[in-house]
Amino acid sequence: MATQKAWTRGLGTAAAVGVGALAGMAVSLAAQHDAMRSLHTRLDELESAARSHQHDDLASQQRQHWELLSKALDDPELAEVLDLYEASVSPKQRRQYLFANALYTNLLFYYRIGNLTKEEFFKHVRGIFQNPIVRDYWYATRQQRASLADTDEAELGQLVDDLLRQLEEADTEEWWVVGDPPSA
């Protein structure tokens, strides 16, 4: 009987130790869970700040781009610096091309900051490229785009090239239905 009581007491002690160990592990896991949740929250905050900083940088770059183009539009001598077209262009054409560049770059910027989806970008581009001057600008700057590889700008440039090819081959006057907008 004494042996049985000692054995039962031993089981009680072992059970108490086991329950204590489980409770300690549960407290430890809860603390780790809270720490992980805190780390995830902080990581989300840092990612959001990085996106905001990137948008600020893109907005600053867009402002600088517009300021430079504005100066070139206002001063024909400065516009000559930006004359990198495949064929010679008149001062009037150069100004038009600079403005076409501003239109396209504005759409590109809107896409980069997330204000336009790729499908919306496509639809806007399909509209502005109905203008023959914008198309002429695009063809005159082909070699400049050829140097852009493996970038979102190169991908969108290819999208525009494909769209223009489809528009030229289309047997319809309903340009707004030509081409399949990209999904995603």
Side-chain angles (χ1 to χ4, degrees), residues 57-125:
D57 289 347
L58 283 170
S60 177
Q61 179 187 2
Q62 182 71 3
R63 273 190 300 279
Q64 283 183 316
H65 182 258
W66 177 245
E67 287 173 15
L68 290 170
L69 283 180
S70 294
K71 288 179 182 187
L73 287 167
D74 293 340
D75 186 338
E77 291 177 5
L78 293 178
E80 288 178 19
V81 174
L82 295 176
D83 191 342
L84 305 171
Y85 310 111
E86 292 183 18
S88 65
V89 297
S90 70
K92 177 183 175 182
Q93 284 176 305
R94 188 179 304 119
R95 286 176 52 86
Q96 291 170 331
Y97 286 4
L98 291 173
F99 191 74
N101 175 271
L103 286 174
Y104 179 75
T105 304
N106 188 57
L107 285 176
L108 182 64
F109 171 71
Y110 267 50
Y111 171 76
R112 283 181 171 163
I113 64 170
N115 284 356
L116 290 176
T117 64
K118 193 179 284 187
E119 180 181 356
E120 292 167 329
F121 174 87
F122 177 87
K123 290 176 180 180
H124 284 285
V125 165

Side-chain angles (χ1 to χ4, degrees), residues 6-20:
W7 186 77
T8 304
R9 207 174 326 139
L11 278 178
T13 303
V17 168
V19 168

Side-chain angles (χ1 to χ4, degrees), residues 86 137-147 161:
E86 292 183 18
Y137 154 77
W138 191 257
Y139 295 133
T141 57
R142 183 174 298 152
Q143 73 184 26
Q144 294 173 33
R145 284 188 310 284
S147 66
D161 288 341

Side-chain angles (χ1 to χ4, degrees), residues 45-59 113:
E45 290 169 355
L46 290 172
E47 287 173 347
S48 177
R51 279 190 301 278
S52 177
H53 185 67
Q54 182 182 23
H55 285 176
D56 291 345
D57 289 347
L58 283 170
I113 64 170

Side-chain angles (χ1 to χ4, degrees), residues 145-157:
R145 284 188 310 284
S147 66
L148 303 173
D150 300 325
T151 65
D152 62 337
E153 190 170 352
E155 180 184 341
L156 294 173

